[in-house]
Amino acid sequence: MKQLKLNNGWFSNTRSDVLSGMTVAIALIPEAIAFSILAGVSPMVGLYASFCIAIVTSFAGGRPGMISAATGAMALLVGSLVIQHGIEYLFAATVLAGVFQIVMGMLKLGRFITFLPQPVMTGFVNALAILIFMAQLTHFKGQGWVMYALVALTLLIIYTVPRFTKAVPSALVAIIIVSVLSIVLDLDVRTVGAMGEITSALPLFHLPQLPFTLDTLLIILPYSLSLAVVGLLESLMTATLIDDITGTGSDKNREAKGQGLANIVTGFFGGMAGCAMIGQSMVNMKSGGRTRLSTFVSGMFLLFLILVLGDIVKQIPMGALVGVMIMVCISTFEWGSLKTLARVPLSDALVMIVTVVTVVLTDNLSIGVLFGVLLSALTFAWKIASISLSVQTSADMATYVVSGQLFFGTTSHFIHEFNYEGDPENIRIDFTHSHVWDQSAAGAIAKTISKYAAYGKTVTITGLNEESTQLVKRVGLSLSGGHL
């Protein structure tokens, strides 16, 4: 059984996983360097982080085939910390963020990712594709027609090679061909080496050099909490996206703990905090990567590139890597969502558009998702915040049939629907088609009974389901003048 599990988790797709992992590793280098610069630290900090996080999550993560490394979202959060207090505080904040993520995993907070509505997920994916594309535009600044030609050639190779063979990821073939062409012809284009200095050195264990005091904790605490929440949110959303692509499930709580362990390790080995990389995970998926082996290979081959092939890696033209990322944009964007935009409910279309616009304007996936979820919650509350009462009156009894959800948003309307003075002495309120959700709802029922009692009338409550009955009894509100 253990052997079967090992094969399925690691070696069921070996050739494709190895090749896709190599492709991802090459594409990781310029992004890791760029994110390091964004955070205000040495490029090696981002590269070490990408290596450590990829290796740890390949074993401890809950989503096989997902790529985790240093990311832009995390880099944005720590820039001010590095400027104000230095890089040692960054390492400490990274470790503490990992501890928080492990605690979140132990509390099983990963299940809350299921609360994300489909319009938010679609908006998230589309915004991601737009952000990845926009990030590539900076590489064209100051470049001539050769840069555009290399990008076009890369895309041509990527989309042509699969027609002849799928034995090797077309993105890897494109990177190799375009790189060889650029080096042989000595083309004057921007290369990976221009992104930052790459040194051939192993990451070493390093305890953060800072005072272990309460003041230090108070400095890093807000940064660590932000890193933990943002990193977990992006990782779980990426895991959900890959679940949909592969048609397989993942353990979200294990992923939370795996991300936490990875950040603890990278913090002690001179790296910055990271999380799942949606773009690189898509590169892995499109290149055929499916198991933990692809994630492991991406980390190990990244280290190999740094230590052994550093001089060659520096000569890879950015045009090749930009072409790969544009391919990712094209394949990631949910083009079908544009066709269905006019057919889905207006509220769903609005949520998707708001999510996309917010992400693009703020350049922050987490903020966009938060806005999308809040808007979805408001539209949902608006839809269910309607309750109606139909009444049948005889000489000695008035029967009210309640339809809809009774909760804090509908209690005021509920209370004012009754004819307290004009109804006969006996009133029956039927909740067969309703549900009592909270204390406000239970209080509204008690208040209604009390109002009738003031006129000397008796109320009988019927049709409450078991949960509603238990809530009313548990709250312990006075039902004097009425009975269940």
mmCIF file of all heavy atoms in Angstrom, residues 88 91 204-209 267-270:
data_model
loop_
_atom_site.group_PDB
_atom_site.id
_atom_site.type_symbol
_atom_site.label_atom_id
_atom_site.label_comp_id
_atom_site.label_asym_id
_atom_site.label_seq_id
_atom_site.Cartn_x
_atom_site.Cartn_y
_atom_site.Cartn_z
ATOM 1 N N GLU A 88 17.530 41.214 8.822
ATOM 2 C CA GLU A 88 17.401 40.214 9.878
ATOM 3 C C GLU A 88 15.971 40.153 10.401
ATOM 4 O O GLU A 88 15.478 39.075 10.767
ATOM 5 C CB GLU A 88 18.372 40.520 11.021
ATOM 6 C CG GLU A 88 19.845 40.477 10.629
ATOM 7 C CD GLU A 88 20.290 39.086 10.194
ATOM 8 O OE1 GLU A 88 19.709 38.086 10.667
ATOM 9 O OE2 GLU A 88 21.231 38.995 9.375
ATOM 10 N N PHE A 91 13.932 37.955 8.099
ATOM 11 C CA PHE A 91 14.066 36.524 8.370
ATOM 12 C C PHE A 91 13.200 36.108 9.556
ATOM 13 O O PHE A 91 12.528 35.069 9.515
ATOM 14 C CB PHE A 91 15.537 36.174 8.650
ATOM 15 C CG PHE A 91 16.470 36.456 7.499
ATOM 16 C CD1 PHE A 91 17.787 36.822 7.721
ATOM 17 C CD2 PHE A 91 16.024 36.349 6.185
ATOM 18 C CE1 PHE A 91 18.656 37.068 6.671
ATOM 19 C CE2 PHE A 91 16.881 36.602 5.118
ATOM 20 C CZ PHE A 91 18.198 36.964 5.365
ATOM 21 N N LEU A 204 23.000 28.655 3.712
ATOM 22 C CA LEU A 204 23.498 28.124 4.982
ATOM 23 C C LEU A 204 22.531 28.455 6.110
ATOM 24 O O LEU A 204 21.826 29.474 6.072
ATOM 25 C CB LEU A 204 24.876 28.711 5.296
ATOM 26 C CG LEU A 204 25.978 28.444 4.255
ATOM 27 C CD1 LEU A 204 27.254 29.182 4.647
ATOM 28 C CD2 LEU A 204 26.234 26.948 4.106
ATOM 29 N N PHE A 205 22.512 27.587 7.135
ATOM 30 C CA PHE A 205 21.642 27.827 8.289
ATOM 31 C C PHE A 205 22.053 29.118 8.976
ATOM 32 O O PHE A 205 23.235 29.382 9.192
ATOM 33 C CB PHE A 205 21.727 26.660 9.270
ATOM 34 C CG PHE A 205 20.812 26.818 10.458
ATOM 35 C CD1 PHE A 205 19.457 26.536 10.347
ATOM 36 C CD2 PHE A 205 21.305 27.284 11.667
ATOM 37 C CE1 PHE A 205 18.608 26.690 11.429
ATOM 38 C CE2 PHE A 205 20.469 27.445 12.760
ATOM 39 C CZ PHE A 205 19.108 27.150 12.644
ATOM 40 N N HIS A 206 21.049 29.928 9.313
ATOM 41 C CA HIS A 206 21.350 31.256 9.852
ATOM 42 C C HIS A 206 20.255 31.673 10.832
ATOM 43 O O HIS A 206 19.084 31.780 10.463
ATOM 44 C CB HIS A 206 21.423 32.270 8.698
ATOM 45 C CG HIS A 206 21.499 33.697 9.143
ATOM 46 N ND1 HIS A 206 22.657 34.267 9.604
ATOM 47 C CD2 HIS A 206 20.551 34.671 9.200
ATOM 48 C CE1 HIS A 206 22.427 35.535 9.921
ATOM 49 N NE2 HIS A 206 21.155 35.802 9.690
ATOM 50 N N LEU A 207 20.636 31.866 12.085
ATOM 51 C CA LEU A 207 19.685 32.390 13.064
ATOM 52 C C LEU A 207 19.596 33.898 12.901
ATOM 53 O O LEU A 207 20.628 34.576 12.809
ATOM 54 C CB LEU A 207 20.140 32.061 14.483
ATOM 55 C CG LEU A 207 19.876 30.641 14.998
ATOM 56 C CD1 LEU A 207 20.502 30.464 16.380
ATOM 57 C CD2 LEU A 207 18.382 30.358 15.055
ATOM 58 N N PRO A 208 18.395 34.464 12.838
ATOM 59 C CA PRO A 208 18.267 35.918 12.698
ATOM 60 C C PRO A 208 19.020 36.651 13.801
ATOM 61 O O PRO A 208 18.839 36.365 14.988
ATOM 62 C CB PRO A 208 16.746 36.144 12.812
ATOM 63 C CG PRO A 208 16.141 34.854 12.362
ATOM 64 C CD PRO A 208 17.083 33.782 12.841
ATOM 65 N N GLN A 209 19.869 37.567 13.402
ATOM 66 C CA GLN A 209 20.679 38.329 14.355
ATOM 67 C C GLN A 209 19.925 39.589 14.788
ATOM 68 O O GLN A 209 20.055 40.650 14.187
ATOM 69 C CB GLN A 209 22.025 38.684 13.724
ATOM 70 C CG GLN A 209 22.836 37.481 13.283
ATOM 71 C CD GLN A 209 23.187 36.576 14.443
ATOM 72 O OE1 GLN A 209 23.765 37.017 15.434
ATOM 73 N NE2 GLN A 209 22.829 35.297 14.324
ATOM 74 N N GLY A 267 13.216 30.953 6.340
ATOM 75 C CA GLY A 267 13.628 32.030 7.232
ATOM 76 C C GLY A 267 14.944 31.737 7.930
ATOM 77 O O GLY A 267 15.728 32.647 8.230
ATOM 78 N N PHE A 268 15.192 30.450 8.178
ATOM 79 C CA PHE A 268 16.441 30.051 8.837
ATOM 80 C C PHE A 268 17.578 29.787 7.841
ATOM 81 O O PHE A 268 18.701 29.478 8.249
ATOM 82 C CB PHE A 268 16.216 28.790 9.681
ATOM 83 C CG PHE A 268 15.530 29.064 10.989
ATOM 84 C CD1 PHE A 268 14.408 28.349 11.367
ATOM 85 C CD2 PHE A 268 16.003 30.049 11.851
ATOM 86 C CE1 PHE A 268 13.774 28.589 12.573
ATOM 87 C CE2 PHE A 268 15.375 30.304 13.069
ATOM 88 C CZ PHE A 268 14.257 29.569 13.433
ATOM 89 N N PHE A 269 17.282 29.874 6.548
ATOM 90 C CA PHE A 269 18.320 29.667 5.534
ATOM 91 C C PHE A 269 18.473 30.892 4.626
ATOM 92 O O PHE A 269 18.844 30.764 3.464
ATOM 93 C CB PHE A 269 18.006 28.421 4.708
ATOM 94 C CG PHE A 269 18.419 27.144 5.375
ATOM 95 C CD1 PHE A 269 17.562 26.511 6.256
ATOM 96 C CD2 PHE A 269 19.677 26.604 5.154
ATOM 97 C CE1 PHE A 269 17.939 25.331 6.892
ATOM 98 C CE2 PHE A 269 20.069 25.425 5.787
ATOM 99 C CZ PHE A 269 19.195 24.788 6.663
ATOM 100 N N GLY A 270 18.199 32.069 5.181
ATOM 101 C CA GLY A 270 18.476 33.306 4.449
ATOM 102 C C GLY A 270 17.523 33.612 3.327
ATOM 103 O O GLY A 270 17.901 34.286 2.358
#
